[in-house]
Amino acid sequence: MDQIRIDQATADDMNVIQLIGRTTFFETFAPYNTEANMQKYLEESFSETRIREELSSQESLFFLAFENETPVGYLKLNTGTAQTEAQDGTAIEIERIYVQRDYHGKKVGQLLYEKALETARLLKKSYLWLGVWENNPRAIRFYEKNGFAAFDKHIFKMGEDEQTDIMMKKVL
């Protein structure tokens, strides 16, 4: 595998982020959800309007992972009021680390996580946090391996279905 490069995304990357987001979310969660709930979530969360708004937010940061010139994943971080759950001003949320299926196990997710950690330190945040579906053991193990611990739970709305996310935190 060639070297993976991580670049900060811009508004020009909207289509790439939308495609990776839809594809990876569908591949990961479609087997566990109804078609209607998947469709509703994908339309709402990855619409052009929504992605453009998120990319233009001063409180969200996106980073794209590339192998050569091929985008293979992305990271979305939130601060302030962009966080999906209210936290104090010293927090930064990892909302998404999405990696294309062909790149699972190739350390792309780890590199994106390391970019999140680097960004948190540059912004002088005291902790990183995230929500991960309670039925996603692979992701839970990944975050535990990187020093995260569960601290709460919250409801994640998947279409009409309410699912439980484990909230995890890493103090810096």
Side-chain angles (χ1 to χ4, degrees):
M1 181 170 90
D2 291 319
Q3 181 132 5
I4 300 296
R5 179 181 89 245
I6 310 290
D7 294 338
Q8 187 162 351
T10 69
D12 292 340
D13 298 309
M14 192 282 305
N15 290 329
V16 171
I17 288 168
Q18 184 183 44
L19 178 64
I20 293 172
R22 284 180 182 209
T23 302
T24 57
F25 193 90
F26 184 84
E27 288 173 349
T28 304
F29 300 109
Y32 310 102
N33 293 281
T34 67
E35 187 177 335
N37 282 341
M38 281 299 296
Q39 191 64 32
K40 180 175 177 163
Y41 184 82
L42 292 173
E43 285 174 6
E44 291 173 359
S45 297
F46 298 105
S47 71
E48 185 174 324
T49 301
R50 176 92 174 258
I51 299 295
R52 283 199 192 286
E53 286 172 2
E54 291 173 348
L55 278 164
S56 69
S57 170
Q58 296 298 308
E59 295 182 312
S60 292
L61 295 166
F62 285 80
F63 296 91
L64 281 165
F66 292 89
E67 180 185 49
N68 296 320
E69 297 307 311
T70 303
V72 299
Y74 79 87
L75 163 70
K76 181 181 182 217
L77 300 173
N78 296 317
T79 62
T81 60
Q83 295 176 89
T84 59
E85 288 276 329
Q87 301 291 316
D88 62 57
T90 67
I92 190 165
E93 176 190 19
I94 297 174
E95 185 177 352
R96 296 185 187 127
I97 293 180
Y98 285 0
V99 177
Q100 303 234 21
R101 180 176 282 165
D102 289 347
Y103 291 85
H104 286 190
K106 296 182 179 180
K107 307 290 184 203
V108 177
Q110 187 65 39
L111 290 170
L112 288 167
Y113 163 70
E114 289 168 7
K115 178 53 86 172
L117 189 59
E118 173 190 324
T119 302
R121 289 184 172 136
L122 284 170
L123 296 175
K124 299 185 179 353
K125 300 300 182 181
S126 63
Y127 66 97
L128 284 156
W129 76 275
L130 54 92
V132 59
W133 187 36
E134 65 183 350
N135 294 320
N136 190 347
R138 179 185 177 142
I140 293 168
R141 280 191 309 275
F142 173 83
Y143 291 116
E144 287 173 341
K145 177 186 83 157
N146 282 291
F148 283 78
F151 72 96
D152 203 351
K153 294 182 177 183
H154 70 182
I155 298 300
F156 176 82
K157 198 86 157 121
M158 176 57 168
E160 300 301 319
D161 189 26
E162 290 187 352
Q163 300 178 358
T164 302
D165 274 1
I166 299 168
M167 295 170 68
M168 302 181 81
K169 174 192 289 192
K170 178 179 178 146
V171 177
L172 303 176

